[in-house]
């Protein structure tokens, strides 16, 4: 969607300037409204680094004791403005009023405060707006020299912690008495850091010593490094994790078994460092722990455990149930920890995750504790595990409404009703049924100045199993720790958004296995989708650009000679349909050979119209198998420079080809006939999608994101082209943002009339995205981005298009768009505004593809979306 622009009107610019001036004056006058005389509003903490910045310096602002009021709305301190909007004469009363519990905050309390503070004329006033301003706002932060001094001390301590023992921190306060404002500048000098001269480790326990030596190549502490305490903390965490992986229960649980000793007697710049690992002062040996009793109780209240339950067991796990609503085996599958196994904290964590992911229970208690063995064996290193589970309600109904935005649908609402039925077959299976709709408006193709209703209604049922639906025991092939699940999905949808509309039916059997918190596999069998097009005969009524091209070619053909003239008479008499005339034009070799360059271009555009029409109106049956592999490091603290890979392979049509009927659908105007199943053509293709992303962190909170998408669809057998619902297009808020979705980019550098290219799709796609994200505040973030890419065909299916992918040409056929964006983080939602500009348009004539000379800064392509693009 293109943004609205201002015309070259002085009045409109005057209004903008006046509004900006008003906001600025309001901001300047109101921020110090409640600052007492003789005191100053703290507006800024500045940092000056006398000997240059270091990578970790961005964290130092967090150690300042006093911070200015947060800036939010339009980079202004909204909280302060709201606080100042409350009548100042009520500040004392409201401050005391808020100290009372909420149930006591009544009119009676307010009246008593009015009387106490000699404000009898205010008795009976609710002060609703003043209370709202006061509660939502935040009082002005008044400069406190003592806190500024303590802030400098805290910064100095942090620098010492980071290895800069001789660092100096000073501060200076700049006061504007007239404006009642102040700013504090901290002057930081790092000086030379302290280095680790030699690194030693003293571990008396021979087994622990040997384990550490085996992992020594992974150590984060080495000679020659700066003596940074944060690195030492990470090393302790690393040791804790791998020791617990080897079965040492609660190793260093109180953080007193691992510590570092730095010898600074001889030097403060080159310091020997020693790692010490001791269980206690006696150097008692460590013991590997094993799992003992595993008890799982399914009760309504914790007190029912043991008192009102019956006991059952399966493969070393003891179950306690008040009834038989849940099969023992269905819960056993999700208990990853095993009897007599060596202790592994990851298995305990995974077990809790699996129980919650079943969506059948809440965990009242999850406990693992060292068994107490009596006087002879006070601690025999056996760990007993207990889970007390409470079944969730049998039925759960959710009603909701989402607000969404797309460049085709504009602003829309999506009401939904979801019903979850738990434990359908007593094996913790859940049946999820949902009814949802999306309602909005689109431009009327017949009159773009008006908008018409667009909608999509859908119903879907999903039966989810906490296991794999296979006729054999698969645990030797797929371990329990992979938490395998299955689901059967059945859905239907009716869609009306481009006039023609579609009716879709889908079903599938899905398998999911999660290897760990980064890797997952999904396999979909019998993924079947039936797509039926409504109102096929109305195609030209809704695709008005295609109708313009059709009229031009028809008029040209009717005037081309006697054959054309005779065809016109039959057409006007109703003896020939539009499709019959179109087919005749395509097959008339003499007419085609008589065309000049202009006519040939029109004929090529018309061929594109017919291809679009055949594909947009095609009924299709897709039955495929899909495998999806995901590796995801995003959001994990141990991977600051995260990597993401999503690979998907889809193979369609092979099963249907075994059962196909010999008859065909007759084909389209320019597309070949296809064999059918129950009268509907089925698609055969193989499709590969690869999405690769890499994130780089800079200066603590800035991020550079690189993304590469590669998609290839190869039709074969019963299909000469990819189904339109599986094809690739360009543009949109998560793609090449300088072009709207179906906005005329591609395919390749084809010079086909843009009216036709708008809805062209293809079967090969390359997209490269580069985005640099810069946080301004906790609420606002900016971004600079460049998007590069296009779509192609694998071979020249459409003579004259020039959309075939060739290695020696494709770099000159990509579209390039750049721009900037703003992200607004509100609660858990990120609103995204991206302003993009076309830099290189391959579908323009040679010599006119670089768009710098036509650059219009006030006419960007505006993308509005929720969440990050990638």
């Amino acid at each position: 969607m293109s943004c609205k622009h201002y015309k070259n009107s002085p009045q409109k610019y005057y209004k903008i300037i006046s509004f900006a001036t008003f906001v600025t004056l309001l901001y300047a006058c109101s921020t110090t409204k409640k600052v007492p005389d003789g005191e100053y509003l703290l507006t800024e903490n500045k940092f000056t680094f006398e000997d240059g910045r270091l990578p970790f310096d961005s964290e130092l602002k967090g150690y300042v004791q006093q911070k200015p009021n947060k800036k939010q709305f339009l980079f202004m301190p909204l909280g302060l403005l709201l606080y100042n909007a409350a009548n100042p004469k009520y500040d004392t009363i409201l401050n005391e009023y808020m100290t009372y519990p909420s149930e006591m905050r009544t009119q009676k309390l307010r009246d008593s405060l009015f009387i106490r503070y000699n404000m009898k004329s205010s008795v009976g006033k609710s002060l609703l707006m003043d209370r709202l301003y006061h509660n939502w706002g935040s009082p002005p932060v008044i400069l406190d020299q003592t806190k500024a001094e303590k802030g400098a001390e805290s910064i100095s301590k942090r620098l010492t912690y980071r290895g800069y023992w001789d660092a100096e921190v000073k501060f200076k306060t700049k006061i504007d008495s007239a404006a009642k404002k102040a700013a504090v500048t901290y002057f930081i000098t790092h000086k030379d850091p302290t280095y680790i001269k030699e690194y030693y480790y003293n571990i008396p326990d021979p087994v622990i010593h040997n384990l550490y030596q085996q992992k020594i190549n992974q150590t984060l502490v080495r000679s020659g490094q700066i003596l940074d305490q944060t690195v030492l903390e990470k090393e302790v965490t690393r040791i804790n994790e791998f020791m617990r992986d080897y079965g040492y229960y609660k190793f260093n649980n109180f953080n007193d078994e691992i510590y570092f000793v730095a010898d600074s007697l001889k030097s403060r710049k080159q310091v020997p460092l020693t790692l010490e690992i001791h269980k206690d002062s006696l150097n008692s040996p460590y013991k590997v722990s094993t799992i003992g009793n595993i008890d799982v109780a399914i009760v309504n209240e914790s007190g029912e455990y043991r008192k009102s339950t019956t006991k059952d067991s399966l493969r070393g796990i003891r179950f306690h149930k008040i009834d038989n609503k849940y099969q023992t085996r269905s819960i056993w599958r999700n208990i990853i920890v095993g009897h007599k196994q060596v202790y592994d904290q990851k298995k305990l964590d995974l077990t809790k995750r699996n129980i919650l992911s079943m969506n059948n229970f809440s965990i009242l208690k999850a406990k693992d504790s060292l068994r107490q063995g009596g006087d002879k064996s006070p601690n025999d290193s056996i760990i007993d595990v207990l889970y007390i589970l409470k079944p969730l309600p049998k039925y759960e109904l959710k009603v909701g409404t989402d607000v969404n935005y797309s460049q085709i649908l504009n602003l829309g609402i999506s009401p939904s009703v979801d019903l979850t039925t738990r434990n359908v077959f007593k094996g913790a299976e859940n049946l999820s049924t949902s009814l949802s709709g999306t309602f909005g408006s689109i431009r009327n193709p017949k009159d773009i100045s008006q908008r018409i209703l667009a909608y999509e209604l859908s119903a879907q049922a999903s039966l989810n199993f906490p296991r794999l639906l296979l006729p054999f025991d698969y645990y030797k092939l797929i371990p329990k720790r992979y938490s395998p699940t299955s689901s059967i999905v059945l859905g239907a949808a009716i869609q009306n958004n481009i006039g023609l509309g579609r009716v879709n039916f889908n079903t599938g059997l899905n398998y999911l296995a999660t290897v760990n918190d980064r890797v997952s596999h999904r396999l979909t069998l019998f993924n079947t989708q039936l797509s039926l097009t409504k109102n096929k005969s109305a195609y030209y009524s809704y695709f008005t650009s295609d109708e313009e091209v059709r009229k031009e070619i028809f008029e040209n053909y009717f005037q081309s000679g006697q054959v054309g003239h005779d065809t016109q008479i039959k057409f006007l008499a109703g003896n020939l349909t539009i499709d019959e005339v179109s087919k005749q034009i395509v097959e008339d070799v003499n007419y085609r050979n008589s065309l000049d360059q202009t006519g040939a271009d029109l004929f090529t555009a018309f061929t594109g119209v017919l291809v679009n029409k055949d594909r947009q109106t095609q009924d299709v049956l897709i039955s495929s198998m899909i495998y999806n592999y995901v590796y995801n490091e995003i959001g994990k603290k141990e991977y600051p420079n995260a990597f993401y890979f999503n690979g998907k392979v889809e193979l369609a049509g092979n099963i249907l080809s075994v059962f196909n009927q010999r008859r065909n659908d007759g084909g389209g105007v320019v597309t070949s006939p296809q064999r059918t199943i129950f009268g509907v053509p089925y698609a055969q293709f193989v499709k590969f999608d690869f999405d690769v992303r890499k994130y780089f962190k800079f200066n603590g909170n800035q991020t550079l994101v690189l993304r590469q998408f590669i998609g290839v669809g190869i039709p074969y057998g019963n299909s000469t082209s990819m189904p339109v619902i599986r094809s690739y297009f360009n543009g949109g808020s998560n793609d090449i943002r300088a072009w709207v979705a179906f906005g005329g980019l591609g395919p390749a550098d084809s010079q086909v009339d843009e009216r036709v290219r708008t809805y062209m799709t293809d079967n090969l796609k390359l997209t490269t995205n580069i985005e640099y994200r810069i946080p301004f505040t906790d609420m606002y973030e900016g971004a600079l981005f460049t998007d590069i890419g296009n779509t192609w065909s694998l071979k020249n299916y459409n003579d004259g298009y020039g959309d075939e992918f060739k290695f020696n040409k494709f770099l000159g056929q990509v579209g390039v768009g750049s721009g900037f964006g703003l992200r607004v983080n509100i609660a858990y939602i990120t609103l995204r505004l991206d302003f993009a500009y076309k830099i290189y348009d391959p579908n323009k004539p040679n010599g006119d593809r670089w768009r710098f000379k036509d650059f219009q800064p006030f006419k960007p392509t505006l993308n509005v979306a929720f969440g990050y693009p990638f």
Side-chain angles (χ1 to χ4, degrees):
M1 181 189 76
S2 298
C3 71
K4 295 181 179 179
H5 331 297
Y6 290 105
K7 297 179 180 178
N8 295 324
S9 168
Q11 290 85 357
K12 290 196 173 185
Y13 284 115
Y14 172 77
K15 291 178 181 179
I16 296 173
I17 295 172
S18 299
F19 176 74
T21 304
F22 170 75
V23 171
T24 302
L25 290 174
L26 177 66
Y27 168 58
C29 296
S30 61
T31 53
T32 57
K33 179 179 179 180
K34 294 186 178 181
V35 175
D37 292 338
E39 295 185 341
Y40 307 96
L41 176 70
L42 179 62
T43 59
E44 187 179 11
N45 286 322
K46 300 179 181 178
F47 295 86
T48 299
F49 299 94
E50 304 290 358
D51 51 359
R53 291 182 65 96
L54 293 174
F56 66 85
D57 282 337
S58 59
E59 71 185 36
L60 298 179
K61 62 181 180 181
Y63 292 87
V64 175
Q65 298 292 307
Q66 196 174 33
K67 300 177 178 62
N69 294 91
K70 287 186 177 181
K71 296 181 179 180
Q72 295 134 340
F73 180 67
L74 296 176
F75 305 103
M76 295 187 295
L78 179 61
L80 177 58
L81 296 178
L82 289 173
Y83 184 86
N84 287 343
N87 193 324
K89 74 176 184 178
Y90 297 123
D91 283 351
T92 303
I93 290 176
L94 292 176
N95 284 332
E96 183 172 342
Y97 179 77
M98 293 306 299
T99 62
Y100 288 84
S102 57
E103 61 271 14
M104 295 181 61
R105 297 177 200 159
T106 62
Q107 186 63 49
K108 183 178 180 180
L109 174 61
R110 291 192 290 272
D111 290 342
S112 66
L113 293 174
F114 288 140
I115 294 173
R116 183 189 306 174
Y117 287 98
N118 197 26
M119 299 177 67
K120 296 181 180 180
S121 60
S122 297
V123 171
K125 291 184 178 180
S126 68
L127 303 182
L128 176 61
M129 293 307 298
D130 291 286
R131 283 188 285 132
L132 289 177
Y133 292 145
H134 193 274
N135 295 345
W136 292 348
S138 54
V141 176
I142 306 300
L143 173 67
D144 186 330
Q145 293 282 0
T146 302
K147 290 184 177 179
E149 183 177 352
K150 290 182 178 179
E153 293 175 359
S154 296
I155 294 173
S156 180
K157 290 179 180 178
R158 184 61 182 179
L159 290 169
T160 301
Y161 200 79
R162 279 290 200 165
Y164 292 81
W165 292 8
D166 297 326
E168 290 184 354
V169 181
K170 300 178 181 178
F171 73 95
K172 183 178 180 181
T173 304
K174 182 179 180 181
I175 295 176
D176 185 343
S177 300
K180 300 173 70 173
K181 295 181 179 180
V184 179
T185 302
Y186 294 91
F187 299 91
I188 298 169
T189 306
H190 301 95
K191 297 187 177 180
D192 294 332
T194 297
Y195 291 94
I196 301 173
K197 185 178 182 181
E198 293 99 10
Y199 178 54
Y200 308 99
Y201 48 92
N202 178 31
I203 309 174
D205 189 303
V207 178
I208 305 300
H209 186 277
N210 183 52
L211 287 175
Y212 185 78
Q213 278 191 322
Q214 292 178 19
K215 301 282 186 178
I216 193 65
N217 61 320
Q218 299 177 12
T219 183
L220 304 177
V221 183
R222 301 181 187 277
S223 301
Q225 290 180 337
I226 296 174
L227 184 53
D228 188 338
Q229 292 281 355
T230 62
V231 176
L232 304 187
E233 289 175 352
K234 292 178 181 178
E235 176 67 4
V236 171
T237 300
R238 185 187 73 86
I239 296 171
N240 287 343
E241 289 178 353
F242 84 71
M243 292 304 298
R244 291 174 185 177
D245 288 344
Y246 279 99
Y248 292 92
Y249 182 66
K250 293 189 176 180
F251 182 85
N252 193 33
N253 197 47
F254 297 104
N255 292 318
D256 58 353
E257 298 174 26
I258 305 177
Y259 53 92
F260 292 89
V261 177
D263 184 2
S264 58
L265 293 176
K266 295 182 179 180
S267 172
R268 287 175 54 84
K269 295 301 181 183
Q270 297 289 336
V271 177
L273 184 69
T274 303
L275 166 69
E276 301 278 353
I277 300 181
H278 304 268
K279 185 173 183 180
D280 50 39
S281 59
L282 300 177
N283 286 325
S284 301
Y286 287 90
K287 292 183 180 181
V288 173
S289 300
T290 55
I291 302 297
N293 297 328
I294 304 172
D295 292 281
V296 180
I298 303 173
V299 295
N300 293 317
E301 297 179 0
S302 297
E304 294 178 338
Y305 172 52
R306 295 189 185 277
K307 294 181 181 179
S308 307
T309 58
T310 57
K311 188 182 295 186
D312 190 10
S313 64
L314 179 62
R315 298 189 183 183
I317 301 177
R318 304 188 303 191
F319 294 89
H320 309 264
K321 299 187 290 184
I322 58 175
D323 52 43
N324 291 317
K325 290 182 179 180
Y326 286 90
Q327 297 173 359
T328 299
R329 187 175 180 84
S330 66
I331 306 170
W332 169 83
R333 291 188 183 97
N334 292 278
I335 309 299
I336 307 303
V337 61
H339 181 59
K340 294 186 179 180
Q341 290 181 352
V342 173
Y343 156 78
D344 186 342
Q345 183 62 44
K346 293 179 181 177
K347 289 185 177 181
L348 293 172
D349 296 338
L350 183 56
T351 296
K352 286 194 290 185
R353 190 194 73 181
N354 283 356
I355 292 172
L356 293 174
S357 67
M358 292 171 70
N359 193 24
N360 271 264
F361 306 101
S362 61
I363 301 178
L364 299 180
K365 187 176 185 179
K367 181 182 179 182
D368 51 87
S369 56
L370 219 53
R371 180 184 299 175
Q372 300 301 314
D375 296 335
K376 294 182 179 180
S377 181
N379 185 345
D380 57 4
S381 299
I382 296 177
I383 301 167
D384 293 327
V385 180
L386 170 64
Y387 298 100
I388 300 180
L389 313 180
K390 179 181 179 180
L392 295 173
K394 178 75 174 180
Y395 302 100
E396 181 179 1
L397 181 66
K398 292 183 179 179
V399 179
T401 300
D402 291 332
V403 178
N404 55 67
Y405 177 90
S406 73
Q407 293 169 319
I408 295 178
L409 188 62
N410 203 5
L411 189 67
I413 60 172
S414 301
S416 63
V417 178
D418 301 287
L419 174 65
T420 299
T421 305
R422 296 187 173 92
N423 195 32
V424 178
F425 306 120
K426 294 188 176 182
E429 306 90 353
N430 291 345
L431 175 63
S432 300
T433 54
S434 66
L435 295 174
S436 62
T438 299
F439 301 90
S441 64
I442 62 172
R443 287 189 178 90
N444 189 339
K446 300 177 181 179
D447 183 358
I448 62 173
S449 64
Q450 298 181 357
R451 302 192 72 85
I452 59 175
L453 175 66
Y455 64 86
E456 181 174 356
L457 302 174
S458 63
Q460 182 159 299
S462 175
L463 185 57
N464 304 295
F465 300 82
R467 61 186 182 277
L468 295 185
L469 291 178
L470 293 174
F472 55 86
D473 193 342
Y474 54 83
Y475 288 109
K476 293 182 180 180
L477 300 174
I478 303 176
K480 289 172 62 177
R481 67 175 182 273
Y482 286 6
S483 309
T485 60
S486 307
S487 64
I488 300 174
V489 179
L490 179 66
I494 180 170
Q495 171 187 330
N496 182 58
N497 59 12
I498 57 173
L500 299 180
R502 289 185 182 275
V503 178
N504 295 312
F505 301 93
N506 68 283
T507 184
L509 171 60
N510 305 305
Y511 297 119
L512 175 66
T514 304
V515 177
N516 50 46
D517 61 350
R518 301 181 306 280
V519 178
S520 64
H521 302 267
R522 179 184 292 273
L523 177 64
T524 301
L525 297 178
F526 317 119
N527 180 72
T528 303
Q529 182 173 356
L530 174 63
S531 180
L532 305 176
T533 305
K534 303 185 300 177
N535 305 325
K536 294 183 180 182
S537 61
Y539 178 83
Y540 288 112
S541 297
Y542 289 97
F543 288 81
T544 53
S545 295
D546 287 13
E547 170 67 353
E548 292 176 8
V549 175
R550 183 201 66 79
K551 286 183 176 179
E552 290 179 20
I553 196 75
F554 272 36
E555 183 177 351
N556 185 282
Y557 183 71
F558 293 156
Q559 297 176 0
S560 64
Q562 187 61 43
V563 175
H565 179 68
D566 293 343
T567 302
Q568 181 181 23
I569 294 173
K570 295 177 182 179
F571 175 68
L572 295 177
N575 295 326
L576 289 176
T577 65
I578 289 178
D579 286 350
E580 289 172 337
V581 175
S582 299
K583 194 163 188 176
Q584 181 175 324
I585 293 174
V586 172
E587 294 175 350
D588 193 334
V589 178
N590 292 329
Y591 168 71
R592 186 173 181 180
N593 292 335
S594 67
L595 296 175
D596 57 14
Q597 186 60 50
T598 302
D601 291 342
L602 180 61
F603 183 85
T604 301
F606 180 60
T607 305
V609 167
L610 298 179
V611 171
N612 282 343
K613 179 179 181 296
D614 286 351
R615 300 184 73 192
Q616 292 286 349
T617 60
Q618 180 192 36
D619 295 336
V620 65
L621 177 63
I622 301 173
S623 182
S624 60
M625 180 177 67
I626 304 173
Y627 169 70
N628 193 193
Y629 171 84
V630 176
Y631 179 88
N632 184 11
E633 296 175 348
I634 301 173
K636 298 171 177 58
K637 293 181 179 180
E638 62 268 32
Y639 299 102
N641 298 321
F643 176 77
Y644 173 90
F645 174 82
N646 188 336
K648 184 169 69 173
V649 180
E650 180 175 8
L651 182 62
N654 288 354
I655 295 177
L656 294 180
S657 66
V658 177
F659 302 100
N660 77 88
Q661 303 172 5
R662 291 186 177 181
R663 60 191 178 89
N664 60 58
D665 66 336
V669 177
V670 292
T671 54
S672 303
Q674 292 180 276
R675 289 172 294 179
T676 63
I677 293 290
F678 304 115
V680 180
Y682 63 90
Q684 281 187 282
F685 61 85
V686 60
K687 189 168 183 274
F688 304 90
D689 287 346
F690 302 101
D691 187 350
V692 183
R693 308 172 196 175
K694 180 64 179 178
Y695 299 75
F696 298 93
K697 290 287 186 180
F698 295 96
N699 299 325
N701 57 0
Q702 299 178 20
T703 306
L704 174 66
V705 187
L706 306 179
R707 175 181 181 250
Q708 179 64 56
F709 177 84
I710 302 174
V712 182
I714 306 172
Y716 66 93
N718 200 39
S719 299
T720 56
S721 62
M722 294 289 293
V724 66
I725 56 177
R726 290 292 198 273
S727 299
Y728 301 105
F729 63 90
N730 290 309
S733 59
N734 297 330
D735 192 65
I736 305 174
R737 285 163 277 188
W739 280 265
V740 299
F742 298 103
L745 173 61
D749 59 352
S750 62
Q751 299 300 298
V752 180
D753 193 320
E754 185 172 343
R755 295 173 296 178
V756 179
R757 281 193 290 107
T758 297
Y759 282 94
M760 277 190 176
T761 58
D762 242 318
N763 56 354
L764 188 151
K765 181 178 177 69
L766 299 175
T767 303
T768 302
N769 306 96
I770 305 171
E771 183 165 295
Y772 191 63
R773 299 168 184 168
I774 311 166
F776 300 134
T777 66
D778 292 339
M779 187 174 183
Y780 292 98
E781 182 180 67
L784 301 173
F785 59 83
T786 295
D787 305 318
I788 306 167
N790 209 334
T791 57
W792 294 262
S793 65
L794 289 179
K795 60 182 180 179
N796 195 7
Y797 296 103
N798 307 302
D799 188 26
Y801 283 15
D803 60 344
E804 183 180 4
F805 179 85
K806 294 183 179 180
F807 281 101
N808 60 345
K809 292 179 61 178
F810 83 96
L811 288 177
Q813 297 173 331
V814 296
V816 181
S818 293
F820 61 93
L822 177 67
R823 290 87 169 94
V824 183
N825 300 304
I826 304 172
Y828 298 101
I829 300 174
T830 298
L831 173 64
R832 173 162 56 93
L833 303 175
D834 285 331
F835 303 85
Y837 302 88
K838 297 176 183 176
I839 304 300
Y840 182 84
D841 188 344
N843 301 113
K844 295 292 184 181
N846 284 323
D848 194 32
R849 296 183 175 182
W850 290 103
R851 309 305 295 163
F852 295 115
K853 63 180 181 180
D854 298 312
F855 180 72
Q856 295 178 297
F858 296 106
K859 294 183 179 181
T861 300
L862 174 62
N863 296 270
V864 181
F866 295 99
Y868 289 101
F870 39 81

